[in-house]
Amino acid sequence: MKIVLVNGGLSEASSTTRLVQAIRAELARVADERGLELDVMEVGLRPLAHDAVNMVLTGVPSANLEAALDTLEAADATVWATPTYAGSYAGVFKTFMDLVGAQRLEGKPVLLAATAASPRHTPMVDTAMRPLASALRAWPVPVGIFSTGEPGEDLTSRITAGVEGLLLALAGGGGELGAVMKKARVQAGKQQAEAVRSTLAAPQAPVNRTKPQAPYLASDGKAALLRPDTEDFTEMGAIFGALS
Amino acid sequence: MQVGIFTVSDISENPVTGEVITEHQRLKNIVDLAVASEKAGLDVFALGEHHNPPFVSSSPTTTLAYVAAKTEKINLTTATTLITTDDPVKIAEDFAMLQHLADGRVDITLGRGNTSPVYPWFGKDIREGINLSLENYHLLYRLWHEDVVDWEGRFRTPLQQFTAVPRPLDGVAPFVWHGAIRSAQTAEQAGYYGDGFFANNIFWKPEHTQTMINFYRERFAHYYPERQAMVGIGAHSFIGDTRAEAEKYFRPFFDHAPVYGYGPSMEDFTRETPLTVGTADDVIDRYVRLMKMYGPVQRILFLVDHAGLPHETSLDQIERIGTVVAPALRQAAEEMWPDQHEAPTHASLVAARDAELAAKGEAPYSDAYRFHTGDNWTGLRAEDSQKSDGTLDR
């Protein structure tokens, strides 16, 4: 199982980085205790911040940025950790997530975590991060983690609960959810296409069967996968028949 | 291999002098670039189509016809013609007109466009972009290959017994390149019709362009195993006498350019994309490497006149590409792929058609006028002019 932590910490030795380390430690502890094979990787956003903005502006990913996006795509589950700025996730974190898009994490369990300077923004995990997870079609586990570093904060039990939630979601079929969701979308696309096909085909006299029977392509073309998807096409013969 | 230039016709402020030229001057300059390209020995001139500022070229065929009158050899094409939002009937007519007036020195490069608001301006839905390009091109193909077309599709008024005039010169349609950056369907489309594939290449990562070109070759071979695929690529460079001089001159234009300005550094962008800033040898080295990577390439078109570069600078770039870079790239292509055919020209397409007719034992093509010339108002039907034995009823 490959678990990738997105570390949105932006300062050196940031509290977000410390929270990420604590979550990694808990993942390692649980894996060790239960004999799970966990491949844990981390994507730090600080060194990718400029590249992310450049990609928003030009559409061209740097090699490092593309590698980070590929790492997320290969993950079975992810952990998102961001500092809280102005009551929400950091702008750099959102900029990066905009590039991740709705395909790479589809159906995959995600554990949401944030740090902040004050407990005033505690709901941020549920009011900002959870909708973002929905937009990216990821599957957030119920327990989120929010840390201000204040004395008496019961962080350990939250991390334990969050990590348990993530592993349960993984064990409970989280890994396959993405495939199931994609299949449902492709199925819907095919039904749409079939409806178009039959409508077009029905009233035509043979001599007029020149109307192209273009189905709606089940295309994810506009979503943000970088390498061209050479499986995302419909054979032209299926649309226009053999070329005379 | 053909080497040429393409312009997208942007009017951008010169970031060094603050100068912004007029639309009139830009258009005149564009014609000048085309004439200079021929003089420098280049093979192709391509002009873009846009429908919004800061671009000036909305109607490439008028400009290309004017260029045709001022040149003798250079091939004229587009970069690109919007197959999604232009009416395929008008494309068929405009390019057939151009083809006749330019004595066949014309092909066409189709694209879906890169400006999303264009779709609603022309009454189209961008979510149908791919479907529009498929259906519109199928109609365009038929209008050029069939004298009389019945048509009913999802996106256009039906046609009954329609003949697009003029018919293509010598009965041979302009060669078609399908332009794309990352849409697999476009590569499939190019393969299905046996057309060329033009990979934008610039502003993008070569490994992704390579994926697209390989996919096009695969699909082309699926439909036409015995024929040769035709690949074109865009190119992006700035050439100086030394690398330092080229970088110094080009940097302010890079930093403020549309599309990539205010983004990555010139160093990042030259590393990650095919942009090459340096000597002519640097450009030759880089593009020979890209050509190797992409396999046989039949056409390379350089972007030389964007981002507010002064006209004299663009002319100088054309001179350097035409006299130094192009001969070296052509020679490299010849050495790497001695058995490859060149990109089709009107003459080669006519010869191929004639050979095909001869092989089938059919009569040679005749360009005698084959339509009624009398009553043009009540049901003109070309097939009505045929007698039952297939000969023309005159």
Side-chain angles (χ1 to χ4, degrees):
Chain A
M1 288 290 184
K2 192 186 278 271
I3 298 181
V4 177
L5 297 96
V6 177
N7 178 359
L10 297 177
S11 57
E12 292 295 337
S14 74
S15 52
T16 303
T17 298
R18 289 206 304 280
L19 178 59
V20 166
Q21 283 164 351
I23 296 170
R24 278 190 86 146
E26 178 65 6
L27 279 166
R29 191 189 65 74
V30 175
D32 193 41
E33 189 178 285
R34 299 180 199 168
L36 298 173
E37 288 280 333
L38 288 189
D39 179 9
V40 180
M41 294 180 72
E42 194 173 318
V43 169
L45 298 192
R46 189 173 199 277
L48 296 173
H50 278 275
D51 292 356
V53 172
N54 285 344
M55 187 176 162
V56 169
L57 294 179
T58 67
V60 180
S62 70
N64 288 339
L65 180 56
E66 187 161 7
L69 293 171
D70 286 348
T71 301
L72 280 180
E73 192 177 340
D76 296 301
T78 58
V79 178
W80 302 353
T82 173
T84 304
Y85 289 171
S88 182
Y89 34 66
V92 170
F93 177 80
K94 177 62 160 59
T95 300
F96 179 75
M97 285 302 170
D98 289 344
L99 300 174
V100 169
Q103 292 185 73
R104 289 186 175 82
L105 302 181
E106 182 170 14
K108 293 175 186 174
V110 52
L111 172 58
L112 307 173
T115 57
S118 128
R120 271 197 305 281
H121 299 302
T122 305
M124 174 283 231
V125 171
D126 293 320
T127 56
M129 295 186 81
R130 204 169 287 278
L132 177 61
S134 296
L136 302 196
R137 301 196 198 122
W139 186 8
V141 300
V143 174
I145 300 170
F146 188 83
S147 168
T148 59
E150 291 199 343
E153 178 182 69
D154 182 16
L155 190 58
T156 312
S157 68
R158 295 296 288 183
I159 291 178
T160 303
V163 165
E164 286 294 350
L166 191 70
L167 294 175
L168 268 173
L170 259 177
E176 291 92 60
L177 182 60
V180 172
M181 286 165 72
K182 184 158 189 180
K183 202 172 152 194
R185 273 187 296 125
V186 170
Q187 193 57 36
K190 277 188 183 150
Q191 280 168 7
Q192 235 178 348
E194 191 46 49
V196 172
R197 228 191 308 268
S198 52
T199 313
L200 291 181
Q204 303 280 312
V207 68
N208 255 356
R209 286 294 296 277
T210 50
K211 181 185 282 188
Q213 301 175 12
Y216 294 98
L217 300 170
S219 172
D220 291 323
K222 279 203 291 288
L225 288 188
L226 292 170
R227 56 182 175 279
D229 181 357
T230 53
E231 287 169 12
D232 182 17
F233 76 99
T234 302
E235 286 220 21
M236 293 294 294
I239 302 170
F240 295 118
L243 207 55
S244 53
Chain B
M1 187 182 69
Q2 296 174 330
V3 184
I5 68 157
F6 76 97
T7 174
V8 293
S9 81
D10 62 311
I11 295 180
S12 300
E13 179 183 299
N14 178 325
V16 180
T17 63
E19 190 193 357
V20 180
I21 66 173
T22 64
E23 290 176 315
H24 178 73
Q25 190 59 52
R26 182 69 164 114
L27 271 171
K28 291 292 190 178
N29 288 352
I30 284 171
V31 172
D32 215 21
L33 295 176
V35 173
S37 297
E38 174 166 290
K39 282 206 184 102
L42 290 171
D43 309 301
V44 184
F45 175 77
L47 176 59
E49 174 186 340
H50 294 268
H51 298 277
N52 53 301
F55 303 98
V56 67
S57 171
S58 55
S59 180
T61 51
T62 52
T63 315
L64 291 177
Y66 186 71
V67 168
K70 295 194 152 238
T71 54
E72 285 168 5
K73 294 185 308 221
I74 196 163
N75 293 292
L76 307 172
T77 189
T78 47
T80 60
T81 295
L82 303 181
I83 188 62
T84 44
T85 49
D86 287 348
D87 182 356
V89 170
K90 200 73 174 78
I91 297 177
E93 295 172 343
D94 284 347
F95 281 81
M97 288 283 287
L98 177 62
Q99 190 197 27
H100 278 275
L101 294 173
D103 294 316
R105 283 188 284 135
V106 172
D107 54 61
I108 183 171
T109 311
L110 302 175
R112 283 194 288 143
N114 69 350
T115 312
S116 49
V118 172
Y119 284 80
W121 292 335
F122 287 84
K124 303 291 191 255
D125 180 348
I126 194 170
R127 292 167 299 182
E128 297 274 19
I130 290 273
N131 290 328
L132 280 161
S133 72
L134 296 181
E135 186 177 302
N136 284 350
Y137 180 61
H138 196 66
L139 175 53
L140 174 59
Y141 180 90
R142 291 192 55 209
L143 290 170
W144 275 342
H145 288 85
E146 300 169 33
D147 276 352
V148 182
V149 171
D150 286 330
W151 172 266
E152 207 177 334
R154 290 173 60 208
F155 298 118
R156 196 200 181 285
T157 316
L159 298 170
Q160 284 292 329
Q161 297 292 293
F162 181 78
T163 298
V165 293
R167 302 306 302 144
L169 177 65
D170 301 321
V172 168
F175 186 70
V176 176
W177 300 85
H178 297 265
I181 298 173
R182 43 160 298 145
S183 147
Q185 190 69 44
T186 302
E188 159 72 4
Q189 183 186 28
Y192 171 78
Y193 294 96
D195 294 339
F197 181 69
F198 193 90
N200 179 64
N201 190 40
I202 67 172
F203 307 160
W204 194 229
K205 301 179 73 134
E207 53 267 45
H208 296 328
T209 299
Q210 184 185 31
T211 301
M212 288 294 289
I213 289 175
N214 288 344
F215 178 66
Y216 158 69
R217 291 190 197 286
E218 194 183 297
R219 297 309 300 166
F220 188 98
H222 170 79
Y223 291 109
Y224 304 97
E226 75 293 352
R227 278 169 56 186
Q228 177 194 300
M230 292 287 168
V231 172
I233 57 172
H236 190 200
S237 65
F238 189 84
I239 305 171
D241 289 336
T242 66
R243 194 178 302 174
E245 186 191 287
E247 288 175 350
K248 184 169 179 235
Y249 187 94
F250 190 59
R251 189 177 301 278
F253 296 93
F254 177 91
D255 286 344
H256 299 273
V259 182
Y260 51 81
Y262 305 96
S265 69
M266 194 163 82
E267 285 68 20
D268 287 344
F269 209 69
T270 48
R271 191 180 57 248
E272 304 284 354
T273 83
L275 171 62
T276 308
V277 181
T279 64
D281 281 343
D282 289 336
V283 173
I284 293 164
D285 287 350
R286 183 88 186 271
Y287 278 85
V288 168
R289 267 186 283 136
L290 287 171
M291 283 158 59
K292 268 186 194 145
M293 186 173 166
Y294 297 152
V297 171
Q298 277 71 33
R299 171 176 283 188
I300 295 188
L301 302 182
F302 283 84
L303 173 63
V304 296
D305 69 326
H306 69 311
L309 283 165
H311 184 49
E312 313 74 61
T313 305
S314 300
L315 290 172
D316 175 58
Q317 293 296 305
I318 286 172
E319 179 69 18
R320 291 170 189 267
I321 292 171
T323 56
V324 185
V325 175
L329 295 184
R330 289 192 201 105
Q331 191 190 336
E334 181 62 34
E335 284 165 12
M336 280 192 281
W337 316 304
D339 300 329
Q340 282 281 308
H341 299 299
E342 295 283 327
T345 59
H346 182 70
S348 75
L349 291 171
V350 168
R353 190 272 320 277
D354 289 347
E356 195 183 327
L357 287 178
K360 285 186 194 161
E362 290 178 19
Y365 174 79
S366 161
D367 62 358
Y369 194 67
R370 54 189 180 273
F371 306 101
H372 268 301
T373 54
D375 175 3
N376 285 349
W377 299 101
T378 53
L380 180 66
R381 288 163 55 101
E383 57 266 55
D384 290 348
S385 68
Q386 286 190 351
K387 290 192 279 192
S388 55
D389 64 359
T391 59
L392 292 180
D393 180 13
R394 290 189 177 277

